[in-house]
Amino acid sequence: MNQPIREALPTPTGWLVAPTREFCLFFIRDPKSVMVAPTVYTQLWYCLEDGTPTKLKNTRRLDYECAVETWHELLSQDWELVEHQLNACVEAA
C-alpha cells in the first residue's frame, strides 16, 4: 500500500519591520506543530530605525491561516521584510 508523502505547508518566516520603524514582527514556525496543520509564533519587538530588534513586547501563537493572512496584510501595508542574524537577536531577549 502506497502512502502519499506529506509535505510541510510553507509558513511565513522572518522579520517584518513597520513603516514607522518603531516595531518589527518576527514569524517562526512552531517546531512542535504538525506538518499538515502548522502553527506559527509571532514576536512583536520594539526596534531601532534600521530594523534591529531591541526589546520583546509580546508573543502570540497563530494557526496557519491567521499567520498567512497577517503576513500578507502587513506586507500590503508597507511593512518591509528584512534580514537579521536570527539567533543573535532572539538570544538578546
Side-chain angles (χ1 to χ4, degrees), residues 9 11 14 20 23 31 35-36 53 61 70 73 83 86-89:
L9 291 172
T11 55
T20 61
F23 294 108
M35 287 190 323
V36 295
R61 185 172 176 222
T70 300
E73 183 177 330
E83 300 293 326
L86 298 181
N87 291 338
C89 294

Side-chain angles (χ1 to χ4, degrees), residues 43-57:
Q43 295 180 334
L44 183 62
W45 289 75
Y46 296 101
C47 66
L48 301 175
E49 193 171 314
D50 69 355
T52 303
T54 58
K55 182 179 177 186
L56 182 64
K57 183 173 181 182

Side-chain angles (χ1 to χ4, degrees), residues 6-33:
R6 294 185 183 205
E7 294 183 20
L9 291 172
T11 55
T13 305
W15 292 95
L16 296 179
V17 178
T20 61
R21 311 304 270 183
E22 62 185 304
F23 294 108
C24 56
L25 193 60
F26 179 49
F27 286 75
I28 186 168
R29 181 189 171 111
D30 176 1
K32 295 181 181 178
S33 64

Side-chain angles (χ1 to χ4, degrees), residues 80-93:
E80 179 185 341
L81 179 62
V82 295
E83 300 293 326
H84 284 290
Q85 293 290 338
L86 298 181
N87 291 338
C89 294
V90 173
E91 288 173 6

